[in-house]
Amino acid sequence: MIIAICDDNEQELEQCKKRLELLASIHQVDVEFSLYHKGEELLFHLQSLKSYPDIIYLDMRMNGIQGDEVARKLRGQGCISEIVFFTVSKDFYSTAFDVKALHYVVKGETTVEKFEDIFMQAVKSVQEKQTEYIMCTGAGEFRKIEIKKIHYFEVIKRIVTVYFGSDQFSFYSTIGKIELRLKDYGFVRVHKSYVAAISHIRSISFKEIILDTGEVLPVGRNYYSELKREMEAYAEARRVV
C-alpha cells in the first residue's frame, strides 16, 4: 500500500510518517511512503507517474498551491485515492467534503485513538477497492473473477480467454473492450491478441514478456514502446521516495 504525505513543514511531515509507520507495523499493513514538501511537487510527480497512491495525507494550508486545490486537481484527473486532510484549522470541513475526502485531522487536537481510527478506515477502504471483479459470461456460464488474480487475456477469433490463478475461462468479446475496461487496474496491451497485468510481468524484451508464472507472451512491435513506459511508471510508483 502506497501512502503519500504532503506538508510544507518538514517536522510535521516526518512526524506524520512516523505515526503512520507505527500504526502500519501494529496492524501488519505493508506500506511504502512518498513524501512531498509542496502541492506542486505532488501534482507534478503523480502526473508523470500516471498512477496514484492508495492514501494521500494532505496539509490544507501550504506555501504555493493550497491543499484543497491540490485535491480538486487530483479528483479532476480521475484520482480515487483516499484523501485525509490534516491542518491546524477547523475552518475547512466543507471544503474537505467537496473533494470527497475520507477525513479531516486537526493537528495538535485529534487524539491518538482517532488518528489510528482514521488510518484504519482508509486502509479498509483501499482494501475494498482492491478486491474488485470483472463479470464474464460464456457458453451459458457466468463467472465473477477477482481482478487482482488475473494474469492475462488472450483473444482468438473473438473468443477471449482470461487466465487467473490456475484457472481459465472463455467468453465472447474483443481485446479492445478488455483493454479499455481494465486500463485503470494496471493492465496493458502487449500484442494485438494479448492484454497482461503489469504486476505479473517479470521481464520484458522487444519480442516477448515473461510472467511470474513462467508463461511467455509475444510483444507486438506497435505495443513495445507504450508497454515499456507503463512498466517503468509501475516500477517508479512502487519505489519508496
Side-chain angles (χ1 to χ4, degrees), residues 132-146 162 164 167-172 181:
E132 297 196 52
Y133 300 85
I134 184 171
M135 311 299 181
C136 306
T137 304
E141 184 180 356
F142 176 83
R143 287 285 185 96
K144 179 180 179 182
I145 301 171
E146 195 172 344
V162 53
F164 56 103
D167 204 354
Q168 64 186 66
F169 181 72
S170 297
F171 57 98
Y172 284 102
R181 168 70 176 82

Side-chain angles (χ1 to χ4, degrees), residues 14-70:
E14 289 295 334
Q15 183 181 35
C16 182
K17 178 175 180 285
K18 288 179 180 178
R19 294 176 72 181
L20 293 172
E21 281 179 326
L22 177 60
L23 291 174
S25 176
I26 292 172
H27 294 282
Q28 298 182 331
V29 180
D30 185 19
V31 297
E32 299 177 359
F33 291 95
S34 297
L35 306 182
Y36 304 91
H37 297 87
K38 54 184 179 179
E40 292 90 340
E41 181 186 2
L42 172 65
L43 288 170
F44 178 80
H45 192 62
L46 296 187
Q47 187 175 33
S48 65
L49 290 180
K50 297 182 180 180
S51 62
Y52 298 100
D54 298 300
I55 306 171
I56 301 174
Y57 278 78
L58 185 60
D59 189 14
M60 184 65 84
R61 289 294 169 255
M62 297 180 285
N63 293 321
I65 187 171
Q66 305 297 291
D68 53 347
E69 183 61 22
V70 172

Side-chain angles (χ1 to χ4, degrees), residues 91-238:
D91 298 335
F92 306 102
Y93 283 111
S94 60
T95 302
F97 289 118
D98 288 343
V99 294
K100 299 180 181 178
L102 175 73
H103 228 293
Y104 192 100
V105 173
V106 179
K107 297 177 181 178
E109 294 189 26
T110 301
T111 65
V112 172
E113 292 77 14
K114 186 62 177 177
F115 189 89
E116 179 177 13
D117 179 62
I118 292 170
F119 171 67
M120 292 311 298
Q121 285 182 48
V123 169
K124 181 180 179 182
S125 180
V126 169
Q127 291 173 338
E128 288 174 350
K129 288 177 186 176
Q130 290 176 341
T131 308
E132 297 196 52
Y133 300 85
I134 184 171
M135 311 299 181
C136 306
T137 304
E141 184 180 356
F142 176 83
R143 287 285 185 96
K144 179 180 179 182
I145 301 171
E146 195 172 344
I147 290 176
K148 69 180 181 181
K149 292 183 178 179
I150 297 174
H151 299 149
Y152 67 97
F153 295 83
E154 176 187 38
V155 63
I156 300 176
K157 295 182 179 179
R158 289 185 61 82
I159 297 178
V160 175
T161 301
V162 53
Y163 297 84
F164 56 103
S166 58
D167 204 354
Q168 64 186 66
F169 181 72
S170 297
F171 57 98
Y172 284 102
S173 187
T174 67
I175 205 70
K177 288 181 179 180
I178 297 298
E179 179 185 15
L180 184 62
R181 168 70 176 82
L182 295 175
K183 183 175 179 62
D184 293 334
Y185 292 90
F187 284 76
V188 62
R189 188 80 166 264
V190 302
H191 184 275
K192 66 179 182 179
S193 301
Y194 294 92
V195 168
I198 296 175
S199 61
H200 287 289
I201 299 175
R202 288 297 168 263
S203 66
I204 173 177
S205 70
F206 189 71
K207 293 184 177 181
E208 65 184 27
I209 58 172
I210 300 177
L211 304 182
D212 51 12
T213 60
E215 294 167 285
V216 179
L217 303 182
V219 170
R221 180 182 302 175
N222 295 333
Y223 302 99
Y224 175 75
S225 295
E226 181 62 22
L227 170 60
K228 187 176 180 182
R229 281 194 294 269
E230 292 288 345
M231 289 289 292
E232 290 172 349
Y234 177 80
E236 178 65 22
R238 307 306 300 181

